[in-house]
């Protein structure tokens, strides 16, 4: 029997993201614009297969070959003839849906591997009876032989993503360790090169020196200056006792398709009136095109500068190597592209929150010198997702992730309304670890409270706080002789220097630490009546929203234990680690604010109960978050990696000692866990002069069909390209 944490249950929640009405209201030109942006996103999203595991691309192609020939309904009778039970066939469909939804065979939220919940023999029997196998037996057998063992393997290192002996990764070749990652980061910093669109391969030593290849994602594969460029960063460099070679061409054919569709989208914008007239739209498209063509993150940053000036477009989109959660070192970005349509009513509320930001920011618990000199009012919209290509879909986004742009030029906030509408709905009987008297209140206010938390987290969490920097010319962005550490009273003695960034300095803890800071801002500011009023909550309802928001956070901290791996003593999910840290902080505060008890459930199995004293949230709770949040900001502002890591690691520790046996509680959480939902997205297609929306049901079958129909014009070409890209680097992961 396979441990249940390594397969997806047959009754996993799967919901369709509804954007039909929002899409209907677009003009024909806006629909065409959204269509080509979606095509660019979906082609780029395939990169995630290659960023996840060595086998993901082969599994994807194997499934595509099957389902492009036969729909799940047509395949069902084949499965029965091959000896599968209905439950086993459903398990196969759920596995396929999971592979598509996560763009790989590791969960996007938690980074653990999932395997089919049916035997290898049964799966092979089904594939051998499929029409795809009958049409191309040699090719299908080769695909199976190249991936079957890895599909099912649960060797310790292959159970989760990680670097070295902690897991598997394709951001680094298999012979890389943490020391290699640290050295590569120092090299990249020395050349003012971002790691966002790179992978690192350790090659054979040259003249006794370690040799590395830094590969940039680009459609161009020529390493010398080509038409359209003024210079190139490609070449061979001596760096200490190592040699680094910077090359282009990672994911080249996919990057080419991304660029081609961005060009088509650009053409369609010439008649789209929603683009701000003061921002020539071709500017950010041109720079994004340049990035994907030549591998330049600097071009993507320049495009992002224009993109943040495009306020309130009807069709919103962003694309690139964005989030670094899944890089074990925390510096390389996973490809992501989204296209969404504005929800005007909800966006109006977020607009009010933006307008109130300059009043709310001084409420945060750090001195004014630790806040940005000027709050650059961002665009904050509620959007209905049309397309979100990548490994998973968040509820909210704060982008771009480039700190130098966010600090001095601005950013955008996005709340994804149709995701929020379905992502967190749950049935009372599946609601774990809460007192019965809390469950109805939780179900009623979970959605509205999370909407408040997302708004505060994205806008005033990620959007707040200053980084103290000394630039390459020696200039400081703060008054060295006056700014004091509020924790010690002494003048600050550390800061970011030259090309150092938050990600490069705090590396492995950067993502989770920042999510924790943003979550704390949400908890702290949701106590503000003005904030609650903006979202339409007054009086007793407002207090219920506060209570459920804090209750959700402490429960999430307990649920976060699912994403901790005891063997490697490591966390696999940034947000859930952050929420566990907050739970630890509030438990440590004492005074009866939060209680956590181990119990026995009605079924006789281990259970747990977490409670929150709502009468103490505004006093004991607020003070605890106030103190902790100030510490987080001070370490971040001053580039105090040692202090920040010591603080964060202490609260992240999962042990059996102390007042709570968190290792035993982890087993209880795993016993009673509910899998994260998967989402089915619509496709768009051109039919004559119109663009149509093709919708699918919210089920494993619907999710599979949406992917089987994703690339109607060039599916075979794309699949061949994926296999070739995967084959090129196959020897690097051993």
């Amino acid at each position: 029997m396979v441990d249940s944490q390594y397969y997806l249950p047959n009754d996993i929640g799967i919901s369709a993201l509804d954007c039909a009405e929002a899409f209907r209201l677009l003009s024909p030109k806006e629909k065409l614009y959204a269509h080509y942006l979606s095509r660019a996103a979906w082609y780029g999203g395939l990169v995630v297969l290659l960023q996840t595991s060595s086998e993901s691309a082969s599994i994807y192609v194997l499934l595509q070959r099957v389902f492009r020939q036969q729909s799940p309904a047509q395949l069902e009778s084949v499965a029965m003839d091959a000896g599968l039970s209905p439950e086993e066939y459903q398990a196969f469909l759920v596995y396929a849906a999971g592979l598509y939804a996560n763009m790989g065979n590791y969960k996007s939220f938690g980074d653990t591997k999932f395997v089919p919940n049916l035997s290898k023999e049964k799966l092979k029997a089904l594939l051998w009876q499929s029409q795809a196998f009958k049409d191309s037996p040699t090719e299908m057998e080769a695909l199976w032989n190249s991936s079957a063992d890895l599909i099912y393997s649960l060797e310790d290192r292959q159970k989760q993503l990680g670097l070295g002996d902690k897991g598997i990764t394709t951001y680094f070749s298999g012979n890389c360790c943490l020391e290699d990652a640290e050295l590569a980061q120092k090299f990249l910093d020395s050349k003012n090169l971002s790691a966002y669109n790179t992978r690192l391969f350790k090659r054979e030593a040259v003249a006794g020196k370690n040799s590395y290849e830094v590969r940039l994602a680009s459609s161009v594969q020529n390493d010398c200056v080509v038409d359209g460029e003024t210079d190139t960063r490609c070449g061979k460099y001596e760096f200490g006792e190592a040699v680094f070679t910077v090359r282009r061409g990672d994911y080249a054919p996919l990057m080419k398709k991304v660029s081609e569709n961005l060009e088509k989208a650009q053409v369609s914008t010439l008649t789209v009136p929603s683009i701000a007239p003061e921002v020539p739209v071709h500017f950010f498209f041109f720079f994004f095109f340049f990035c994907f063509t030549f591998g330049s993150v600097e071009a993507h940053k320049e495009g992002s500068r224009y993109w943040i000036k495009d306020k309130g477009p009807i069709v919103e989109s962003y694309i690139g190597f964005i989030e670094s959660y899944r890089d074990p070192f925390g510096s390389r970005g996973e490809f992501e592209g989204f296209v969404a349509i504005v929800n005007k009513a909800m966006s109006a509320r977020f607009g009010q929150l933006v307008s109130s930001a300059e009043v709310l920011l001084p409420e945060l618990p750090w001195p004014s010198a630790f806040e940005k000199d000027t709050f650059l009012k961002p665009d904050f919209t509620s959007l209905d997702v049309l397309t979100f290509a990548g490994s998973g879909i968040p509820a909210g986004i704060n982008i771009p992730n480039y700190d130098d742009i966010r600090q001095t030029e601005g950013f955008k906030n996005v709340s994804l309304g149709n995701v929020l509408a379905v992502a967190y709905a749950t049935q009372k009987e599946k609601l774990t670890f809460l007192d019965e008297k809390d469950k109805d209140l939780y179900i009623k206010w979970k959605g509205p409270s999370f909407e408040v938390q997302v708004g505060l987290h994205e806008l005033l969490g990620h959007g707040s706080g200053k980084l103290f920097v000394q630039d390459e010319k020696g200039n400081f962005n703060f008054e060295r002789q006056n700014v004091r550490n509020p924790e010690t009273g002494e003048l600050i003695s550390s800061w970011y220097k030259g090309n150092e960034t938050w990600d490069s300095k705090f590396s492995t803890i950067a993502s989770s630490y920042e999510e924790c800071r943003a979550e704390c801002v949400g908890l702290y500011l949701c106590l503000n009546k003005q904030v609650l009023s903006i979202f339409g909550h007054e009086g007793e309802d407002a207090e219920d929203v506060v209570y459920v928001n804090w209750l959700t956070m402490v429960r999430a901290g307990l649920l976060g234990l699912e994403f901790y791996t005891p063997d490697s003593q490591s966390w696999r999910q940034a947000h859930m680690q952050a929420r566990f840290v907050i739970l630890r902080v509030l438990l440590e505060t004492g005074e009866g604010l939060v209680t956590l008890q181990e119990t026995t459930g009605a079924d006789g199995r281990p259970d747990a109960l977490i409670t929150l004293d709502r009468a103490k949230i505004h006093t004991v709770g607020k003070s605890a978050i106030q103190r902790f949040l100030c510490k987080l900001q001070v370490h971040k502002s001053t580039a105090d990696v040692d202090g920040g890591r010591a603080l964060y690691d202490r609260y992240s520790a999962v042990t059996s000692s102390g007042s709570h046996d968190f290792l035993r509680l982890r087993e209880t959480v795993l016993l009673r866990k509910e899998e994260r939902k998967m989402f089915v997205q619509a496709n768009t297609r051109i039919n004559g002069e119109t663009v149509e929306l093709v919708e699918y049901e919210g089920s494993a079958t619907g999710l599979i069909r949406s992917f089987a129909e994703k690339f109607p014009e060039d599916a075979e070409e794309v699949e061949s390209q994926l296999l070739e890209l995967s084959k090129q680097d196959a020897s690097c992961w051993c």
Side-chain angles (χ1 to χ4, degrees):
M1 292 292 291
V2 174
D3 189 322
S4 63
Q5 68 176 307
Y6 297 112
Y7 64 78
L8 304 175
N10 281 5
D11 63 350
I12 189 171
I14 303 177
S15 298
L17 291 182
D18 180 14
C19 64
E21 181 62 14
F23 188 79
R24 185 186 67 80
L25 294 173
L26 295 179
S27 71
K29 292 293 185 182
E30 289 164 345
K31 289 178 180 178
L32 190 63
Y33 174 58
H35 168 75
Y36 285 123
L37 288 175
S38 293
R39 303 314 297 154
W42 285 124
Y43 283 119
L46 295 173
V47 166
V48 179
L49 294 164
L50 300 163
Q51 292 181 303
T52 299
S53 70
S54 63
E55 67 271 16
S56 286
S58 295
I59 303 171
Y60 170 87
V61 173
L62 183 68
L63 294 172
Q64 285 291 84
R65 296 286 165 87
V66 171
F67 290 119
R68 285 197 295 106
Q69 290 277 62
Q70 293 169 288
S71 70
Q74 292 169 331
L75 198 62
E76 185 172 8
S77 61
V78 176
M80 300 304 108
D81 291 342
L84 276 71
S85 68
E87 292 75 21
E88 288 171 326
Y89 182 60
Q90 179 63 18
F92 167 63
L93 296 182
V94 166
Y95 176 77
L99 189 286
Y100 290 132
N102 292 278
M103 271 288 99
N105 59 335
Y106 287 76
K107 296 176 187 177
S108 64
F109 201 86
D111 292 345
T112 50
K113 190 173 187 176
F114 58 94
V115 302
N117 192 21
L118 73 160
S119 72
K120 184 189 291 188
E121 293 72 26
K122 289 288 184 75
L123 177 53
K124 181 179 179 180
L126 170 59
L127 295 174
W128 257 241
Q129 293 295 317
S130 70
Q131 190 62 45
F133 187 89
K134 291 176 181 177
D135 289 350
S136 306
T138 303
E139 186 178 10
M140 288 292 288
E141 187 167 3
L143 280 170
W144 172 257
N145 289 339
S146 69
S147 57
D149 288 345
L150 286 170
I151 287 174
Y152 281 92
S153 174
L154 284 173
E155 293 180 12
D156 286 347
R157 186 166 171 259
Q158 291 172 347
K159 287 179 178 179
Q160 64 280 317
L161 300 179
L163 184 58
D165 60 2
K166 292 184 180 295
I168 65 102
T169 179
T170 51
Y171 286 104
F172 299 87
S173 58
N175 55 352
C176 283
C177 62
L178 181 60
E179 289 73 21
D180 297 306
E182 290 171 339
L183 179 64
Q185 187 62 59
K186 291 175 182 176
F187 165 74
L188 292 169
D189 288 344
S190 75
K191 297 299 178 186
N192 196 22
L193 269 172
S194 171
Y196 268 114
N197 68 339
T198 72
R199 291 196 289 174
L200 184 70
F201 298 84
K202 191 174 185 179
R203 303 303 190 188
E204 288 187 14
V206 176
K209 291 188 173 185
N210 283 335
S211 178
Y212 301 91
E213 176 189 338
V214 174
R215 196 184 301 168
L216 310 177
S218 68
S219 62
V220 166
Q221 300 182 65
N222 194 329
D223 291 335
C224 63
V225 177
V226 296
D227 288 346
E229 279 191 308
T230 56
D231 62 5
T232 178
R233 299 287 182 83
C234 297
K236 184 176 288 188
Y237 303 89
E238 298 274 343
F239 185 75
E241 294 302 309
V243 177
F244 283 85
T245 302
V246 180
R247 291 200 168 113
R248 282 195 282 226
D250 217 1
Y251 325 118
L254 299 177
M255 292 294 95
K256 183 179 180 184
K257 288 184 178 293
V258 172
S259 297
E260 288 171 347
N261 281 277
L262 285 180
E263 281 193 294
K264 292 176 182 177
Q266 178 184 335
V267 171
S268 72
T269 62
L270 300 178
T271 51
V272 175
S274 60
I275 302 301
E278 69 274 15
V279 184
V281 69
H282 65 273
F283 271 37
F284 63 79
F285 275 115
F286 168 76
F287 286 113
F288 289 172
F289 174 88
F290 195 95
C291 167
F292 302 132
T293 301
F294 299 111
S296 169
V297 171
E298 285 303 314
H300 196 269
K301 290 176 70 173
E302 194 62 25
S304 298
R305 290 186 169 96
Y306 285 99
W307 177 76
I308 60 177
K309 296 174 185 176
D310 179 25
K311 306 285 188 181
I314 293 172
V315 177
E316 182 64 280
S317 179
Y318 194 67
I319 189 169
F321 294 86
I322 310 299
E323 301 291 355
S324 58
Y325 301 128
R326 301 184 92 188
D327 168 16
F329 191 67
S331 295
R332 288 153 188 80
E334 184 175 76
F335 195 94
E336 180 180 291
F338 78 86
V339 184
I341 304 161
V342 70
N343 179 321
K344 293 182 179 178
M346 193 62 220
S347 294
R349 289 184 183 176
F350 289 128
Q352 284 182 269
L353 189 63
V354 172
S355 297
S356 303
E358 289 172 291
V359 176
L360 296 171
L361 280 171
E363 298 290 316
L364 291 172
W366 48 75
S368 58
F370 284 72
E371 191 49 69
K372 295 173 185 174
D373 299 333
T374 305
F375 180 71
L376 302 165
K377 288 187 177 181
D379 205 22
F380 198 165
T381 49
S382 177
L383 305 171
D384 286 339
V385 170
L386 170 64
T387 294
F388 207 111
S391 67
I393 308 178
I397 319 170
N398 177 284
I399 40 181
N401 281 338
Y402 307 119
D403 273 323
D404 51 343
I405 294 178
R406 288 152 67 109
Q407 288 281 315
T408 60
E409 299 177 58
F411 50 89
K412 283 188 182 184
N413 287 285
V414 168
S415 175
L416 302 177
N418 57 345
V419 176
L420 282 168
V422 297
Y424 300 99
T426 189
Q427 299 168 321
K428 188 175 181 179
E429 58 271 20
K430 290 187 175 182
L431 196 52
T432 54
F433 310 132
L434 293 182
D435 195 296
E436 286 298 319
K437 65 181 177 59
D438 283 330
K439 289 184 177 180
D440 288 333
L441 202 65
Y442 181 96
I443 289 170
K444 178 179 180 180
W445 292 108
K446 174 65 168 71
S449 69
F450 194 65
E451 190 175 74
V452 173
Q453 179 70 11
V454 167
L456 294 171
H457 173 115
E458 299 297 346
L459 176 66
L460 299 173
H462 293 314
S464 66
K466 181 173 182 173
L467 301 184
F468 296 135
V469 177
Q470 180 184 18
D471 66 23
E472 292 172 317
K473 297 179 180 179
N475 300 316
F476 292 86
N477 70 341
F478 63 100
E479 297 179 5
R480 280 186 66 192
Q481 305 308 315
N482 295 320
V483 179
R484 294 184 178 274
N485 183 324
E487 298 293 310
T488 65
E490 299 175 355
L491 291 173
I492 66 168
S493 56
S494 58
W495 46 82
Y496 298 84
K497 298 174 183 177
N499 295 319
E500 291 178 343
T501 66
W502 161 249
D503 280 334
S504 69
K505 285 289 285 184
F506 281 72
S507 64
T508 54
I509 66 165
S511 292
S512 184
Y513 188 108
E514 174 59 13
E515 294 304 332
C516 187
R517 196 183 68 88
E519 291 283 45
C520 286
V521 169
L523 288 179
Y524 191 73
L525 289 180
C526 81
L527 303 176
N528 186 296
K529 290 184 178 180
Q530 181 183 352
V531 168
L532 295 166
S533 180
I534 288 171
F535 285 89
H537 308 304
E538 306 282 355
E540 187 176 337
D541 285 353
E543 288 305 309
D544 284 344
V545 166
V546 170
Y547 176 62
V548 171
N549 193 37
W550 279 62
L551 183 64
T552 298
M553 187 63 68
V554 295
R555 177 175 180 262
L558 177 60
L559 297 178
L561 287 168
E562 175 190 344
F563 303 95
Y564 177 78
T565 303
D567 291 345
S568 60
Q569 298 183 15
S570 61
W571 284 89
R572 307 185 312 273
Q573 214 294 319
H575 299 80
M576 299 310 283
Q577 179 183 359
R579 292 158 187 164
F580 177 76
V581 166
I582 292 170
L583 170 62
R584 288 283 311 276
V585 169
L586 295 178
L587 283 169
E588 183 181 88
T589 298
E591 299 189 49
L593 174 67
V594 177
T595 61
L596 175 58
Q597 301 170 275
E598 293 186 67
T599 64
T600 301
D603 57 4
R605 300 190 299 174
D607 208 338
L609 177 67
I610 193 161
T611 59
L612 171 71
D613 188 340
R614 66 186 296 165
K616 295 177 180 176
I617 293 173
H618 285 271
T619 53
V620 178
K622 182 179 180 180
S623 295
I625 293 298
Q626 182 180 40
R627 292 190 299 272
F628 184 61
L629 185 51
C630 185
K631 288 184 173 70
L632 290 174
Q633 184 58 49
V634 169
H635 292 309
K636 180 180 180 182
S637 289
T638 59
D640 179 11
V641 179
D642 292 340
R645 187 177 291 277
L647 173 73
Y648 204 66
D649 285 351
R650 180 165 77 86
Y651 285 109
S652 296
V654 178
T655 68
S656 56
S657 59
S659 55
H660 298 91
D661 188 337
F662 286 114
L663 286 173
R664 191 167 61 215
L665 280 164
R666 175 181 175 274
E667 296 302 317
T668 302
V669 169
L670 289 173
L671 181 68
R672 299 186 177 278
K673 71 170 184 169
E674 181 181 5
E675 283 291 343
R676 192 173 175 85
K677 281 186 177 179
M678 299 190 290
F679 301 111
V680 181
Q681 300 181 58
N683 286 323
T684 57
R685 68 182 177 201
I686 296 176
N687 186 0
E689 296 296 314
T690 63
V691 178
E692 298 176 341
L693 187 72
V694 184
E695 298 179 278
Y696 305 89
E697 66 179 32
S699 66
T701 293
L703 209 164
I704 290 165
R705 286 186 56 225
S706 74
F707 271 88
E709 299 174 11
K710 191 76 68 188
F711 305 104
E713 305 93 352
D714 55 1
E716 289 190 12
E717 177 192 2
V718 168
E719 290 162 19
S720 295
Q721 290 170 343
L722 276 171
L723 291 177
E724 182 58 30
L725 289 168
S726 182
K727 181 181 177 182
Q728 286 173 6
D729 295 321
S731 63
C732 296
W733 319 123
C734 300

